[in-house]
Amino acid sequence: MKRYILQRLIISLLTIWVLVTVVFILVRLMPGDPFISEKMTPEIRKNMMEYHGFDKPWYVQYLKYLNNLLHGDLGLSLKYSNRSVNTILAQSFPISADLGIRAVVLATVLGLFLGVMAALNNGRFFDYFCVIIAIIGVSVPDFVAGSVLQYVFGLKLHMFPIARWESFRHTVLPVVALSLNTLAVITRTMRSSMLEVINEDYILTAKAKGLSDCEIVTRHEIRNAILPIVTILGPITAGILTGTFVIEQIYAIPGMGRFYVSGINDRDYSMILGMTVFYGVFLVAANFVVDIIYGFVDPRIRISEK
């Protein structure tokens, strides 16, 4: 098991290094200039380029950025004066994480329930109902779902506010809109996995031993069918916790999405790099944790290690 964890750790660190390198190069290849403005004179622009180190060769900038990154410094924002990317992340990430955690919990709990019930009622009305929900959830983009929920439950029925992030009522619509796609994926995956497990020989053996249906479902079917969910839940959780930019823009939520989009529009190199690296590290870390959990959950990994 120690060798398995070490291998995953090395792969994760290499992935982060490749991510930082590729993003740094792509950002430097972006057309335009972060200091191009009608009010900025050539002298001021030259001073700004020297202050932020953009006048130096690209490899010098790259090595300096790696050194700062190892010390946890993501740099200063080029748009927000005297504000570092670390400070902006510290203010915006908790809001995106709050939105993401609510969406993950809702999608996971409801998705597992619907997937299990659909498999247990295979070929019946409830199964078709869950399949239709899953297809709609996967097919409808986030911005469409968010806009429809705003129009129906906000403008027409006046049940929930259509924007802002203040009270619990403000969180309902964005959480539901954000969780729909994940809910559909978990429902479909759990249903398919349950249908495979139900036909396994050990399930027939458990029935032959006289175990109750409830015991068979909880101790044998769900326990073995949930392994694929553990695999996909890591990257899904990381993606949601770091903020879905479209949902945050639609509902005017002051999370990471607003700063990331404005950074791209304003060519804020530090903001783009910092947000992308933070998201990438979060995603790699989530996958690493899932791999470790999978190693404990799936006995085949431990057996192959021995």
Side-chain angles (χ1 to χ4, degrees):
M1 193 63 186
K2 292 181 179 179
R3 182 181 176 183
Y4 172 77
I5 295 176
L6 181 61
Q7 289 176 345
R8 295 300 171 181
L9 180 60
I10 294 175
I11 293 175
S12 299
L13 293 177
L14 288 175
T15 302
I16 293 174
W17 174 73
V18 171
L19 170 69
V20 172
T21 303
V22 171
V23 173
F24 182 88
I25 295 174
L26 291 178
V27 168
R28 290 299 185 272
L29 293 177
M30 287 177 60
D33 192 315
F35 303 116
I36 291 180
S37 174
E38 296 179 355
K39 299 180 180 179
M40 186 168 293
T41 62
E43 292 78 12
I44 297 178
R45 180 181 176 276
K46 180 181 178 181
N47 293 334
M48 294 294 291
M49 296 287 286
E50 292 178 354
Y51 177 77
H52 290 281
F54 294 148
D55 60 323
K56 297 180 175 59
W58 69 269
Y59 57 86
V60 176
Q61 300 180 43
Y62 173 70
L63 293 176
K64 181 180 178 181
Y65 185 78
L66 284 182
N67 180 64
N68 293 338
L69 194 61
L70 290 175
H71 291 84
D73 183 11
L74 296 175
L76 292 173
S77 171
L78 305 181
K79 176 185 177 182
Y80 302 95
S81 302
N82 300 322
R83 294 187 65 185
S84 65
V85 179
N86 297 62
T87 303
I88 295 174
L89 280 173
Q91 295 174 351
S92 60
F93 175 68
I95 299 175
S96 296
D98 186 13
L99 170 63
I101 290 174
R102 295 170 190 250
V104 167
V105 171
L106 176 63
T108 303
V109 174
L110 193 56
L112 290 176
F113 173 77
L114 292 178
V116 171
M117 295 304 297
L120 295 178
N121 295 275
N122 185 30
R124 302 176 185 174
F125 172 78
F126 191 80
D127 181 27
Y128 297 139
F129 173 75
C130 293
V131 170
I132 292 174
I133 291 179
I135 293 175
I136 294 175
V138 173
S139 304
V140 178
D142 289 342
F143 67 90
V144 175
S147 301
V148 171
L149 290 175
Q150 272 185 329
Y151 179 76
V152 175
F153 295 99
L155 296 177
K156 289 297 183 180
L157 301 179
H158 303 287
M159 295 176 60
F160 302 102
I162 62 173
R164 299 293 181 184
W165 186 260
E166 298 174 359
S167 63
F168 173 77
R169 295 181 67 249
H170 289 80
T171 67
V172 173
L173 293 184
V175 167
V176 172
L178 183 57
S179 64
L180 284 178
N181 183 266
T182 305
L183 168 66
V185 173
I186 293 178
T187 300
R188 292 178 59 187
T189 306
M190 190 63 186
R191 176 184 178 274
S192 300
S193 184
M194 279 286 293
L195 290 176
E196 293 180 3
V197 170
I198 287 175
N199 297 320
E200 293 291 341
D201 293 337
Y202 58 84
I203 300 298
L204 299 177
T205 303
K207 293 180 179 179
K209 288 182 177 181
L211 297 179
S212 64
D213 293 340
C214 180
E215 193 173 6
I216 292 174
V217 171
T218 55
R219 291 184 55 185
H220 297 283
E221 294 179 353
I222 295 180
R223 182 178 179 181
N224 290 279
I226 205 171
L227 290 177
I229 303 298
V230 176
T231 304
I232 66 174
L233 202 57
I236 287 177
T237 302
I240 292 181
L241 289 183
T242 46
T244 299
F245 305 146
V246 175
I247 295 298
E248 291 182 358
Q249 289 291 315
I250 291 176
Y251 290 95
I253 299 175
M256 292 175 57
R258 184 183 68 178
F259 293 99
Y260 193 81
V261 173
S262 65
I264 295 175
N265 294 331
D266 299 325
R267 298 181 180 85
D268 190 341
Y269 294 163
S270 299
M271 185 70 68
I272 299 172
L273 269 171
M275 290 286 185
T276 306
V277 170
F278 180 81
Y279 174 82
V281 170
F282 203 93
L283 179 60
V284 171
N287 281 324
F288 175 74
V289 172
V290 169
D291 288 338
I292 302 306
I293 295 175
Y294 207 84
F296 287 101
V297 173
D298 193 347
R300 292 172 295 183
I301 295 180
R302 297 195 297 271
I303 293 174
S304 63
E305 186 69 21
K306 293 179 181 180

